[in-house]
């Protein structure tokens, strides 16, 4: 990301920022799926965009403390979305489709460095879709750590 974030490849690993997570983070569009929201939240973390992270965090689990410590220098290295879990869950979907379409799970591995030390975050995030500003929208609910 040495060039402008507008033209560089998207931090989430997708195409250019302007046609990947950019429209969601600027508010020009709503992420249509839990996965696109998850990707845009990862990108927002790399940009330290606290406002976007709060806006997409479900009110019931949104932290009250600041998300970014001033002294904490996190260097995000990349994101890998694992679809296997979602596909399994999709196949096992219950008959209650209306409930199911407003809930989703995304498993991912994010790599980052703090003070030169590499870390790996493996998370299964839960998302819910609710009526919000601008219509039906996805929110991050919480996450669990499979390892
Ligand atoms: Zn992206």
């Amino acid at each position: 990301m040495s060039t402008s974030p507008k033209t560089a490849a998207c931090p989430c690993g997708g195409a250019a920022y302007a046609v990947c997570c950019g429209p969601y983070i600027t508010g020009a569009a709503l992420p249509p799926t839990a996965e696109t929201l998850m990707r845009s939240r990862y990108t927002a973390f790399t940009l330290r965009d606290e406002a976007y992270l709060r806006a997409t965090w479900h009110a019931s689990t949104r932290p009250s403390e600041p998300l970014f410590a001033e002294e904490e220098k996190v260097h995000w290295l990349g994101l890998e979305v694992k679809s296997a879990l979602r596909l399994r869950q999709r196949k096992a979907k219950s008959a209650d489709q209306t409930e199911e379409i407003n809930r989703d799970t995304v498993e991912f591995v994010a790599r980052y460095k703090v003070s030169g030390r590499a870390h790996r975050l493996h998370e299964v995030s839960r998302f819910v879709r609710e009526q919000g500003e601008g219509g039906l929208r996805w929110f991050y609910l919480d996450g669990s750590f499979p390892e």
Side-chain angles (χ1 to χ4, degrees):
M1 284 197 298
S2 51
T3 50
S4 155
K6 294 264 181 276
T7 53
C10 193
C12 83
Y17 172 80
V19 294
C20 187
C21 297
Y24 309 133
I25 291 173
T26 59
L30 289 177
T33 64
E35 183 180 331
T36 48
L37 174 61
M38 188 268 133
R39 287 179 169 278
S40 68
R41 284 176 49 85
Y42 170 85
T43 296
F45 267 107
T46 72
L47 301 172
R48 295 170 71 96
D49 188 332
E50 179 148 353
Y52 183 75
L53 290 164
R54 289 190 176 283
T56 55
W57 210 312
H58 196 265
S60 67
T61 54
R62 188 189 302 140
S64 52
E65 68 272 18
L67 300 177
F68 298 104
E70 227 14 87
E71 68 278 9
E72 192 181 311
K73 288 279 175 280
V74 179
H75 179 59
W76 294 92
L77 301 172
L79 173 71
E80 182 194 345
V81 176
K82 299 179 172 294
S83 57
L85 179 71
R86 294 170 59 229
L87 291 175
R88 264 204 312 279
Q89 288 186 334
R90 207 147 268 163
K91 278 180 189 149
K93 218 172 242 182
S94 72
D96 189 3
Q97 292 285 339
T98 51
E99 174 70 14
E100 286 296 316
I101 59 165
N102 290 324
R103 291 184 173 272
D104 206 352
T105 305
V106 181
E107 181 176 6
F108 66 91
V109 173
R111 294 171 201 281
Y112 61 98
K113 267 187 177 178
V114 183
S115 312
R117 273 201 54 169
H119 299 267
R120 184 175 180 274
L121 170 70
H122 184 186
E123 179 175 331
V124 178
S125 297
R126 292 198 302 156
F127 296 87
V128 291
R129 191 164 60 168
E130 287 182 0
Q131 205 62 238
E133 206 181 308
L136 262 184
R137 52 191 299 171
W138 286 101
F139 293 94
Y140 171 74
L141 189 60
D142 57 18
S144 58
F145 308 95
E147 283 163 316

